[in-house]
Amino acid sequence: MRTAPTILHLDMDAFFASVEQASKPSLRGKAVVVGGLGPRGVVATASYEARVFGVHSAMPMGQARRLAPNAAYLVPRFNLYKSISERVMELLRALSPLVEPLSLDEAFVDLEAGGVAWDEPSARLAGVKLRADIRAVTGLRGSVGLAASKMLAKIASEEAKPDGLVVIEPGTERAMLGPMSVRTLPGVGPATGDHLRRAGITTVEEIVEAGEDELVRLLGKAHGHGLYAMALARDDRPVVAEREAKSVSVEDTYDVDIHDRTRVGLEVQRLAERCVRRLRGAGLSGRTIVLKVRRYDFSTLTRSETLRGPTDDPAVIREAAARLLDSVDTTGGVRLLGVGVSGLADYTQEDLFAQAAGERAVAEGPVEEHAAAAAEEQPSLAERRWPAGHDVRHTEFGHGWVQGSGLGRVTVRFETPDSEPGRVRTFRVDDPDLEAADPLPLVLRGPDGGDGVPGAGSQAVSSVPASLPKSWSGSGGGAATSRP
């Protein structure tokens, strides 16, 4: 096990909400909640200003609205978040060939493998520079933890939040972990935490005092041994550069249960096509088609079918999903549907096209019918949807974003990432001068096309409430390090 703190964990601060604040000057310093806005929606991310009211990720959106009724509630813009994430990951890969992404906004980096850090001072310098580079390239802030293992690096980044850097120096690990809650350790969720609490174990130091044999008795051999090792700050897991995808899937939760069997079938076909687009976008194919159905009573059923070989053919996957649906009783209604493909490969067996209905010519009929139906379903001007938070452009007023819509009206605030807070105007939903638009860059480009410094608006971005206390350790690289 290494001793130098050369494992880095980066966690972008309130990522989705921070992106929205950076792109919308009127929301900077305000409570922002991103997630599904329907009756069954959940919070994806809440800004630090919203967290003051008790709003947090995975909370039902209805509960969030009760806690923070005056917050801005926005529909996620995943394509924008993904593009910004890719730029952050590029910065990480410039540091080391060993980068292990955990999500769009979180990753481990082995700095020693990249030759950029070998001891505490060099690791700290790399962390400070990374945070500055992320700020320059994206206009956003991230928290960095540095330690000798992945577990400790992640704990350090949590201590650094928001907008800070914490280094766990060799020899201090046990003293730092001791008073922390058992829930700090990986693998200790609510159930395990409650089980340990009933046994009188609430802190990491109490795990050590209880001893390995007692942990095994309480939690079983594998979990007991593992948890005891982590309590002693032992974690030999390496940073893995490429995590092999196990499956590709898409799913939708519906605001109102779907009872009509024909509608359920059409939704499954639509999900199958979305899944194929994602599959092809990743350059993959798969052998096993999986259907997920959550019924009105919250019972969840999964059905799967394994093909003779991997495919990315939309007709094959649509038909397999339809066959799987035939085996599911949807009486009473459906609240969630999902289609996935597993058993992934990076090649396709051409002979599998025959499974689409025996012959390509036969299969083309349903494909064309589906395309025609999709074309007929294109909304008219009066039927256009205007998701809250999404970008629009008006012929006269320029770029803006949707504040809300309803009763045939859509309200738009016209502003850009580097402008002052903009003015609000309301239009009819069928206004021909108003159209959906692509997001604007959060950071102004330099005259040579490279990354410039954040624009006037971006420089003002801060999702860190002034009331948060200073941390006991770490370095903000010019910014205060605070606990969550």
Side-chain angles (χ1 to χ4, degrees), residues 328-363:
V328 177
D329 179 11
T330 60
T331 304
V334 170
R335 61 189 297 118
L336 177 147
L337 290 168
V339 174
V341 177
S342 60
L344 301 180
D346 57 3
Y347 65 94
T348 302
Q349 287 186 238
E350 295 296 330
D351 63 342
L352 287 176
F353 287 128
Q355 295 184 28
E359 297 291 338
R360 167 68 73 178
V362 177

Side-chain angles (χ1 to χ4, degrees), residues 134-193:
I134 290 172
R135 180 71 174 146
V137 169
T138 70
L140 304 176
R141 306 178 194 273
S143 295
V144 166
L146 290 156
S149 69
K150 290 167 69 172
M151 177 190 76
L152 293 170
K154 184 170 175 62
I155 291 173
S157 71
E158 286 297 317
E159 291 294 326
K161 280 187 165 294
D163 189 28
L165 181 151
V166 166
V167 178
I168 299 178
E169 299 181 8
T172 67
E173 298 93 343
R174 289 280 303 278
M176 181 270 299
L177 282 176
M180 290 185 169
S181 165
V182 295
R183 292 289 303 277
T184 303
L185 300 178
V188 182
T192 301

Side-chain angles (χ1 to χ4, degrees), residues 251-270:
E251 62 182 43
D252 276 343
T253 300
Y254 304 99
D255 293 342
V256 178
D257 291 346
I258 302 175
H259 293 84
D260 182 69
R261 182 75 178 188
T262 301
R263 167 82 187 284
V264 172
L266 290 173
E267 287 295 314
V268 167
Q269 297 293 291
R270 183 178 62 82

Side-chain angles (χ1 to χ4, degrees), residues 215-277:
L215 265 291
V216 169
R217 187 186 69 81
L218 289 170
L219 305 175
K221 188 174 182 179
H223 199 182
H225 285 311
L227 191 59
Y228 185 73
M230 287 188 291
L232 294 174
R234 297 172 184 165
D235 177 20
D236 294 327
R237 294 174 300 160
V239 175
V240 181
E242 294 295 335
R243 284 177 163 239
E244 184 177 352
K246 295 182 178 179
S247 65
V248 173
S249 63
V250 296
E251 62 182 43
D252 276 343
T253 300
Y254 304 99
D255 293 342
V256 178
D257 291 346
I258 302 175
H259 293 84
D260 182 69
R261 182 75 178 188
T262 301
R263 167 82 187 284
V264 172
L266 290 173
E267 287 295 314
V268 167
Q269 297 293 291
R270 183 178 62 82
L271 289 166
E273 294 206 346
R274 280 175 54 195
C275 185
V276 168
R277 288 197 295 271

